[in-house]
Amino acid sequence: GHTLVTGAEHEVEKMSTAFVKAENANTGVYAQLQSEFAQRFFVVGNVRHDVNERFGDATTFRIAPSVILPVTDTKLKASYGSGFKAPTLSQMFVDFLPSFVANPNLRPEESIGYDVGFEQPVWNNRLRFGATYFNNDIKNLIVGTGIASTVPFTVRTYENIGRAETSGWEGFVAVNPVERLLLRADYTYTKAIDATTGLELLRRPRHKASFTAAWTPIDPLTLSATVLYVGEFIDGNRDFSIPRLTAPAHTVVNIAGDYRISEQAKVFARIDNLFNERYQEPTGFLRPG
């Protein structure tokens, strides 16, 4: 009933351009214990220690308990943990002149977050639904911002904002109306705020939703389709001469199929953005058709 996973990793990031050469190394060790008690109570605990060449030591953790209630088989779940993310070499050293300059003084992002939710199976597990509330408190979030300039457009850079908060909830419904058909709908509401200014963070839509259908007409063949909706979000135009605007929502349809030839091989095909929706994410960068 207990599974222990341990490991270590060493990563070296290197960058070389005509104007700058830089590198950074990170060494991490981690352990995770996953425990099960009486097939009703589960706990996953993680701890990780990183030694970053540029930013020093960081220890992060996560604890995630869940319990399945008798009679109703309702699953109650939660998690609480911390995060650490160092800035990339590109963010610190790569300029895109004349409209963007890097920031070598960036500091790592740090966060504390939690979530709590439930899942409920009904109809002999052919119907399942659930919802989760989440909250994250982030220090030194790295965002793009405008800086003073004498040129006739806004010069951009990255900076750490003092504190940001993201919170919201996500829910899903999954159903097997017939044996070979699975339908699933998901929805996420996210509120992302710069806690210093009270303004909404850029490029974080409040509403996202998707609907997926997967059909297995015969055992080797699976066909699927997904409709993905991304709501409007706050952004700036490409050179940020307009620092805050509302980017429109968009909806795309993706389809796929795969056929298993044998235990060792299968063939597949996929079309993304089936109806050639034209949208920009982020603003100023047109997505492929």
Side-chain angles (χ1 to χ4, degrees), residues 136-141 161-166 193-195 201:
N136 296 287
D137 195 340
I138 308 167
K139 292 194 305 182
N140 296 327
L141 180 70
I161 63 176
R163 191 168 141 260
E165 295 179 357
T166 63
I193 300 296
D194 181 336
L201 295 177

Side-chain angles (χ1 to χ4, degrees), residues 48-210:
R48 179 183 173 109
H49 184 74
D50 286 281
V51 180
N52 190 281
E53 190 176 73
R54 290 182 178 271
F55 300 103
D57 292 14
T59 301
T60 52
F61 70 93
R62 181 174 180 263
I63 183 75
S66 62
V67 60
I68 299 176
L69 302 180
V71 183
T72 63
D73 281 340
T74 305
K75 177 189 283 189
L76 305 179
K77 57 182 181 176
S79 72
Y80 180 81
S82 60
F84 167 87
K85 182 177 183 294
T88 66
L89 295 180
S90 176
Q91 291 171 331
M92 291 190 291
F93 298 115
V94 178
D95 298 329
F96 295 95
L97 299 175
S99 60
F100 186 91
V101 294
N103 183 357
N105 299 313
L106 289 173
R107 301 183 301 279
E109 299 176 344
E110 300 177 23
S111 67
I112 288 288
Y114 68 89
D115 61 65
V116 59
F118 78 95
E119 292 183 20
Q120 179 64 60
V122 295
W123 193 21
N124 292 325
N125 209 28
R126 292 177 63 181
L127 173 64
R128 179 178 289 270
F129 60 91
T132 301
Y133 173 82
F134 60 88
N135 184 284
N136 296 287
D137 195 340
I138 308 167
K139 292 194 305 182
N140 296 327
L141 180 70
I142 297 172
V143 298
T145 185
I147 59 177
S149 174
T150 57
V151 296
F153 50 83
T154 302
V155 176
R156 302 283 295 171
T157 188
Y158 289 111
E159 70 171 7
N160 297 101
I161 63 176
R163 191 168 141 260
E165 295 179 357
T166 63
S167 61
W169 66 274
E170 55 189 13
F172 79 94
V173 177
V175 60
N176 284 103
V178 294
E179 183 179 353
R180 292 180 176 270
L181 179 64
L182 172 64
L183 306 176
R184 177 172 174 130
D186 292 84
Y187 170 78
T188 302
Y189 172 84
T190 304
K191 183 179 180 181
I193 300 296
D194 181 336
T196 304
T197 64
L199 295 175
E200 193 166 346
L201 295 177
L202 300 184
R203 298 173 179 169
R204 290 164 173 83
R206 288 208 173 195
H207 306 281
K208 281 188 176 182
S210 66

Side-chain angles (χ1 to χ4, degrees), residues 191-249:
K191 183 179 180 181
I193 300 296
D194 181 336
T196 304
T197 64
L199 295 175
E200 193 166 346
L201 295 177
L202 300 184
R203 298 173 179 169
R204 290 164 173 83
R206 288 208 173 195
H207 306 281
K208 281 188 176 182
S210 66
F211 177 79
T212 298
W215 180 39
T216 308
I218 56 177
D219 286 339
L221 177 64
T222 301
L223 304 173
S224 65
T226 299
V227 180
L228 175 64
Y229 168 82
V230 178
E232 63 183 29
F233 54 93
I234 303 299
D235 202 352
N237 63 345
R238 185 160 180 164
D239 65 3
F240 274 82
S241 56
I242 304 174
R244 295 184 71 85
L245 54 82
T246 300

